[in-house]
Amino acid sequence: MSRTIVRTALVVATYGRRLGLRLDDGSAGAGRIKGKTIQPVCGDKVEVQPIANEPDWLITKILPRVNQLTRPNQRGKIEVLAANLDAIVIVVADSPVPDWFIVDRYICAGELMGATSAVVFNKADLGQIEESSANALAGYARIGYVTLRCSAMQGRNLEPLLDFLAARTAIIVGQSGVGKSSIINKLTGYAARSVAPLSVVSGEGRHTTVNSVLLSLTNEGAVIDSPGVRDYAPAIDRPTDVAHGFREILKSSRLCKFSNCRHLKEPACNVKADVAAGKIDERRYESYRRLLFAAERLAERFR
Ligand code: GDP
Ligand code: ZN
């Protein structure tokens, strides 16, 4: 009688149908998905079985996710970018010109999934930081997010980021060109990089492009690099959830007259009062409004 060997593994790279795995004993492997029923992403814990006469593992099951970072793709379908995240590291710089609305949307998604965010201002070597960027960073710090300034190019002030990542699994996101790859290269160094199966040879013997990769750090932390994640908007289908993505708005809303206040035109709205008084940042409030309208449109479609 043959017994099926079932083991668990962490998904550390995705290349379409083929995945890079770290097995429960720490060894590296490659996995294939059984049928088209499941779609593991970086950060997933999966169950695997050996395949007779093949080095690959068969991925049979995704273990329950603690959370997942999702977004609607071009066809309106929900796409999962990564799973089981403790944190989102959002990188910005003065070049390319920052879009703080994108930062707000990532932070909002993080709040809703239970992941903390850090805003990392890179390219600090480029001279004086723009006043608008300094103000935005100070705003995030005021409402309780970790903010850091560093230079990946000069390798300066990356230790606080490394400390932030200790014992956490984080996805690194931000506009194209802000320096995500440069930061990851500096953080992981070559020793850590070499353990990641960055170039798994596909069945046809060709090296396939990596969609997403999880890199382990020496301090028990890990960063997920998911290229191509430029713009971002979370798919929120319950309008009342949106305020939960903006912690200062949520806090202020406890003093609104109506418990179902949308903080738009309702009377005795404490959020509007706080915006008028400069206690809540106007851009943050505008981010809230835009996401609220998007969520209401989405909810409308499913009614
Ligand atoms: P990504 O698209 O976010 O992964 O960005 P890259 O890491 O590819 O970097 C984009 C460009 O910015 C490259 O030309 C890098 O050399 C440059 N860059 C990255 N980090 C820094 C930095 O700290 N300072 C400066 N001046 N340039 C940087
Ligand atoms: Zn209100």
Side-chain angles (χ1 to χ4, degrees), residues 262-277:
R262 290 154 75 229
H263 325 305
L264 298 175
K265 293 205 166 98
E266 292 81 355
C269 169
N270 194 57
V271 172
K272 291 283 289 183
D274 279 351
V275 174

Side-chain angles (χ1 to χ4, degrees), residues 102-134:
I102 297 181
V103 178
D104 289 338
R105 293 201 287 269
Y106 272 119
I107 291 178
C108 175
E111 290 285 345
L112 294 177
M113 68 188 276
T116 186
S117 292
V119 184
V120 174
F121 180 84
N122 187 37
K123 310 196 186 184
D125 56 276
L126 286 181
Q128 191 76 18
I129 178 172
E130 293 287 338
E131 200 184 327
S132 52
S133 297

Side-chain angles (χ1 to χ4, degrees), residues 98-105 107 119 132-133 135-140 143 246 248-249 275 280-290:
D99 182 340
W100 299 102
F101 289 111
I102 297 181
V103 178
D104 289 338
R105 293 201 287 269
I107 291 178
V119 184
S132 52
S133 297
N135 288 340
L137 289 173
Y140 290 121
I143 51 179
F246 292 80
E248 75 280 36
I249 290 177
V275 174
I280 290 177
D281 184 271
E282 278 184 37
R283 189 210 65 254
R284 292 272 301 164
Y285 176 67
E286 179 57 23
S287 287
Y288 162 78
R289 273 168 38 100
R290 290 184 190 185

Side-chain angles (χ1 to χ4, degrees), residues 17 77 85 92 128 137 181 202 210 227 264-265 282 297:
R17 305 291 313 280
K77 287 248 170 64
L85 297 174
V92 292
Q128 191 76 18
L137 289 173
S181 318
S202 76
V210 178
L264 298 175
K265 293 205 166 98
E282 278 184 37
R297 276 197 303 276

Side-chain angles (χ1 to χ4, degrees), residues 6 32 34 37-38 46-49 58-62:
V6 178
R32 274 197 275 128
K34 189 176 182 176
T37 48
I38 54 170
V46 293
E47 273 184 12
V48 298
Q49 292 172 10
L58 186 65
I59 301 170
T60 52
K61 187 179 176 183
I62 301 175

